[in-house]
Amino acid sequence: MKWGILVFPGTWSDRDCMHALTTVLGQSARYVDHRETELSEFDAVILPGGFSYGDHLRCGAVARFAPVMEAVTRFADRGGLVLGICNGFQILQEARLLPGALLRNDSCEFRCEWVHLRVERAESPFTRECRPGQVLRIPISHGEGNFYADPDTLQSLEQGGQVAFRYSTPDGRVTGDANPNGSLRNIAGIVNARGNVLGMMPHPERACEPLLGGADGLWILRSALGTLVAA
Amino acid sequence: MTFRAEVFVTPKAVVNDPQGLTIRQGLRSLGFEGVQEVRAGKYLVLTLESPDRDTALARLDDMARTLLANAVIEDYRIEITAVRETVAP
Amino acid sequence: MAVASPRRNLDAVALTDEEYHEIGRLLEREPNDLELGMFGALWSEHCSYKTSRPLLRQLPTSGDGVLQGPGENAGVVDIGDGLAVVFKIESHNHPSAIEPYQGAATGVGGILRDIFTMGARPLAILDSLRFGPPHDPRSRYLFQGVVEGIGGYGNCFGCPTVGGEVYFDEGYAANPIVNAMCVGLVRHDRVRLARAEQAGDRLLLVGAGTGRDGIHGASFASVEMDEHSPDRRPAVQVANPFMEKVLCEACLQLNELDGVVAIQDLGAAGLTGAACELAHRGGRGVEIDVARVSRRERGMTPYEVMLSESQERMLVLVKPEAEPAAQRVFDKFELHADRVGTILRRPRVRVRDGAAVVADLPLDALIDGVPIRSLMATGAAAPETASVAPLRDPAATLLELLARPNLRSRRPIYRRYDHQVGNNTVIGPGYDAALLRVPGTPKALALTTDGNAAFVTLDPYVGTQLAVAEAARNIACTGARPLAVTNCLNFGNPERPRVAWQLHESVRGLADACRALELPVVSGNVSLYNETNGLSIPPTPVVGMVGILDDLDRRCGASFRDEGDLIFLLGETRDELAGSEYSRAVGAPLEGSAPLVDLTAEARLLRALHETIGAGTLSSAHDVAEGGLLVAIAECALFGGQGAQCPGLSGQVSPAALYFGESAGRVVVSVAARRVPELQKVMAAHRVPLQALGVVGSGALVVGHAVRLDLEALRRAWETPW
């Protein structure tokens, strides 16, 4: 399996993704510069977290126009797996590969902590190893992760089964207290209609080793691997 | 001609604005009564060359739609004034 | 010949008449305005250490693993496997007092640059903070702004903020303390020293454009503050962590090129400081052409260009043949670089503005010529006697203490910092020391900052020794072995005899403690004149320490882990309450003797901890510090979500000192019942006093008849909102 890890100026979880994919999971991966224009060598690409272009103007707003993003769009159109984590999720939304937007956290504060996610849809390529309703413990680290979409979009996401994860309590209840940033309907991650593009605010690449506090992120990365093998 | 354009980007009325709410709360706690709503946005000033005003406005509108504002969550408004006829380097 | 008109603009450059005369004597002429500005910056306390330099000579700076001691951007210590740890702590107190967000953010930016200019990838950031009481609106504003600024920079840059401390005291109301420590890793063969040894090598100025911001920042940091200080706001720079992230990645790639000789951060005194220090360290000179410096503002004078402290700029020293390769790296990262100067054979600094020479000074005079200030130091440790009201209700007092700003949970602060990025954080903020994996090895680094200003106020010599001992103990509680020290000495106006005495005694304490524990001091920083309208801060030496854990499988946490484990106290409890959080809570004046420091006992305790944790004997270990024994037990319980059942505690001391005294050299450990004999054997061998306290388990903390509190009650108090 070959993974491309996109690097924009200001990206910082590129190295963490590399570590999780290669050292932990034994996959082959390479960094992809934001000026590259071809992704056909890859089976999957990751848009990692960070502060691309300093998050100036809006998170992801400038990165979305990087040359590599046209290639990402083509790659997604062909059915390639695209995973946007944190800032990568924001970039995918700015690029209209995923709907909605991410506003400032309702606390107006940055939040770095472990949260619980309930798996809402277990048949997507990124969650196929999970059980529906399974609860994953994965960290967040963001100041602008407050998911927003207009009512029509929200309804179509729900009806189309595009909500991948919701913030929940450890036992899987979706409550206001379990929502770390004010996201509508506790939405933590969504997939596109086809299911091959996932955007999520939590960082699965930080949750791949018990030594660092937990390994539930492997459910997501392994699901993607399984998908690739099956394909 | 050189134009000076001001672009005001604000969160859409339906979009929750935690920053604005926090500022309103801050004003209240400082004793500024009667502030019903605060919306926090961005203010950008651009200086640009353009043959005429209409062309400049059209380009600015394009810039705002493409990059400066995110139509999912933000509205924008553009104000433009001519600065001078010719530009010295 | 008398030098004419000494009162030129000496206030602007913060030089005294005597210093001005000395400049005239050294130059045998009067300096022009630019030259005077350069002297002002480099002769500032911040750059020259003119007050503290003789004192700092006492510190032990060498040792087995020390690859680079003080004098460079940061210290370097070997950690085996061909790797070295690079670290330093630095203050940004004065800028943070004026504009807390930017002051703190640029402080973090500066210390990160100190690390990656040495060739090291930053691994973690720690912050040691002090503010006035959080209920005071101004202190709250500073506190919130500083926390926001630290997070704003570190989070965007992508270096985890993994530890530090924050304490509150009236004495910091006008002068907050903002010390940032950064720790990085580098291969031995890639350590870069910032010294220019070859004439003809070229200086490239890389990164942000140069603006008028921060002119006289170094001078500003070297004077006391008053009600006019906010008017000096232009001296504070605006941070750009995004630019710095790009600079860091570029520097780490440049560092792989052999023709890149050195990389030097532009910090205090801007281009003047960076270029002169680079040349001076290598015994050479430097020529700078200000006309070649890219500017952010129009109409800047050579004076402004040479003294600007615009952030996120670096000097890269390259061999002429390596310039194209360096340029390719800059191009890749879309960074702008100007060739602004050349290294000269003779030790002079010559500044040109195109063809015109606008300054020409001997480097020796500029860097080493500053007259050392001798201080009038008088003072004495606080008198022995201290009376504290007797303890009435231990349970209520415990809850009250846990809720106090100095003891309550720091989670609302550190969750605003990304403490995980990099995938190396094994133990994050909120415990004794942070533990960071050394990538690619089974090893980890333990990191901490410590300093209890109340003890230093009572006795600066003992109080500073206590800070070293506490830092070492925090490191040892993770299973790591203390390796080396960095320090930041935050004091008031040293022209006051009492402050001078505090500084003097504190440095002596630091030196003696580091010698006793065999810890070299490899880097540091001095921040004086933390004073507003005649009121100095409490003396606040902050000790940053790094330890090494050889095998991550042999680490230890602070949380009570397994029900049924037995709880022990290591170390001796004495009748000591002066300077404690308890005595502060009951309104006792700050007087009496600081807790006893026994460094040989500390050394034995450190060895005993290392041995027992290394053998896997302990389930947990947690330093007893602020708040005393009951607070330490409550913390272990809260960390682990496990209660503790203790029979009535007794001792030779008063109940208040027993429960809430802050005697040094103590650690609360828990251990499986079957491993108790090992624990007893090792503690006996190292002559560490061992006292059984109770058993881990249940949802409550019970201490005889004195305390019976369920964990929820403890948690509510501990998690009192800010």
Side-chain angles (χ1 to χ4, degrees), chain A residues 9-17 19-20 33-35 50-54 56 104 108-114 139-141 203 205-207 209-213, chain C residues 121 144 148 151-152 154-159 240 242 245-246 249 331-334 411-412 414-427 437 552-553 555:
Chain A
T11 296
W12 45 233
S13 80
D14 47 342
R15 293 163 54 81
D16 298 355
C17 289
H19 174 79
D33 187 271
H34 58 108
R35 286 159 293 205
F51 284 63
S52 59
Y53 296 93
H56 294 311
R104 209 151 182 224
C108 288
E109 284 180 3
F110 194 93
R111 279 280 188 280
C112 176
E113 57 193 353
W114 290 84
I140 54 167
S141 184
H203 286 269
E205 81 283 7
R206 292 188 184 186
E209 293 166 281
L211 178 69
L212 303 182
Chain C
R121 180 171 284 281
Q144 292 295 338
E148 197 70 21
N155 298 346
C156 180
F157 180 90
C159 184
N240 183 352
F242 164 62
K245 164 72 176 165
V246 175
E249 296 301 329
D331 289 345
K332 175 179 170 191
F333 288 94
E334 297 171 359
R411 183 165 161 264
Y414 64 70
R415 72 178 179 185
R416 290 160 71 181
Y417 305 146
D418 189 329
H419 45 265
Q420 300 173 319
V421 60
N423 265 355
N424 294 313
T425 308
V426 177
I427 297 177
R437 163 167 68 187
L552 259 170
D553 290 338
R555 67 184 186 277

Side-chain angles (χ1 to χ4, degrees), chain B residues 12-68:
Chain B
K12 286 188 173 184
V14 295
V15 172
N16 183 31
D17 175 18
Q19 206 179 345
L21 291 173
T22 308
I23 295 166
R24 186 186 69 179
Q25 197 50 46
L27 288 172
R28 280 187 183 168
S29 67
L30 288 168
F32 293 100
E33 308 280 331
V35 179
Q36 292 176 347
E37 191 177 22
V38 176
R39 305 291 283 175
K42 297 186 193 83
Y43 170 64
L44 302 103
V45 183
L46 290 79
T47 308
L48 73 163
E49 280 294 303
S50 186
D52 58 66
R53 186 186 172 83
D54 286 348
T55 316
L57 257 180
R59 282 180 61 213
L60 285 161
D61 198 60
D62 194 20
M63 290 179 208
R65 269 184 289 112
T66 314
L67 178 64
L68 305 183

Side-chain angles (χ1 to χ4, degrees), chain C residues 56-77:
Chain C
L56 298 175
R57 290 199 191 107
Q58 302 173 60
L59 300 175
T61 56
S62 55
D64 277 352
V66 178
L67 303 176
Q68 177 62 51
E72 280 282 342
N73 286 325
V76 185
V77 180

Side-chain angles (χ1 to χ4, degrees), chain A residues 76 79-82 97-98 121 123-127 160-162 164 190-199 227:
Chain A
L81 294 190
V82 178
L97 284 166
L98 288 173
R121 175 174 163 169
E123 63 268 30
S124 91
F126 298 97
T127 50
Q162 286 176 246
I190 56 173
V191 292
N192 62 351
R194 191 172 171 180
N196 63 320
V197 178
L198 168 66
T227 305

Side-chain angles (χ1 to χ4, degrees), chain C residues 278-475:
Chain C
L278 195 57
H280 183 70
R281 286 195 197 105
R284 297 291 165 200
V286 61
E287 179 173 271
I288 299 283
D289 183 355
V290 291
R292 288 174 157 270
V293 175
S294 295
R295 293 123 195 245
R296 225 176 44 219
E297 298 176 65
R298 287 175 194 212
M300 288 180 69
T301 61
Y303 186 99
E304 289 168 328
V305 172
M306 285 305 290
L307 292 171
S308 160
E309 292 187 9
S310 291
Q311 294 282 297
E312 288 90 20
R313 297 180 301 159
M314 314 275 210
L315 272 182
V316 178
L317 179 65
V318 295
K319 304 223 155 288
E321 63 273 20
E323 197 178 335
Q327 191 57 51
R328 280 194 292 278
V329 174
F330 302 138
D331 289 345
K332 175 179 170 191
F333 288 94
E334 297 171 359
L335 286 167
H336 180 77
D338 297 315
R339 190 206 296 160
V340 298
T342 314
I343 298 303
L344 305 176
R345 195 174 50 78
R346 289 175 51 229
R348 293 190 75 80
V349 53
R350 192 184 307 139
V351 181
R352 287 194 296 121
D353 185 2
V357 172
V358 291
D360 190 354
L361 297 169
L363 271 180
D364 282 346
L366 196 54
I367 292 188
D368 280 336
V370 63
I372 296 298
R373 285 192 183 169
S374 55
L375 297 173
M376 175 79 86
T378 53
E384 297 269 324
T385 51
S387 57
V388 176
L391 177 63
R392 288 183 208 287
D393 181 347
T397 305
L398 175 58
L399 290 178
E400 189 195 331
L401 285 179
L402 283 174
R404 286 176 66 81
N406 281 345
L407 295 178
R408 73 177 66 142
S409 167
R410 269 75 181 115
R411 183 165 161 264
I413 301 170
Y414 64 70
R415 72 178 179 185
R416 290 160 71 181
Y417 305 146
D418 189 329
H419 45 265
Q420 300 173 319
V421 60
N423 265 355
N424 294 313
T425 308
V426 177
I427 297 177
Y431 304 98
D432 291 291
L435 200 60
L436 274 286
R437 163 167 68 187
V438 178
T441 73
K443 296 179 180 176
L445 294 175
L447 315 173
T448 187
T449 67
D450 288 287
N452 183 324
F455 297 155
V456 184
T457 303
L458 293 174
D459 186 334
Y461 176 70
V462 171
T464 307
Q465 292 190 308
L466 286 168
V468 176
E470 185 183 349
R473 221 179 303 127
N474 280 332
I475 299 248

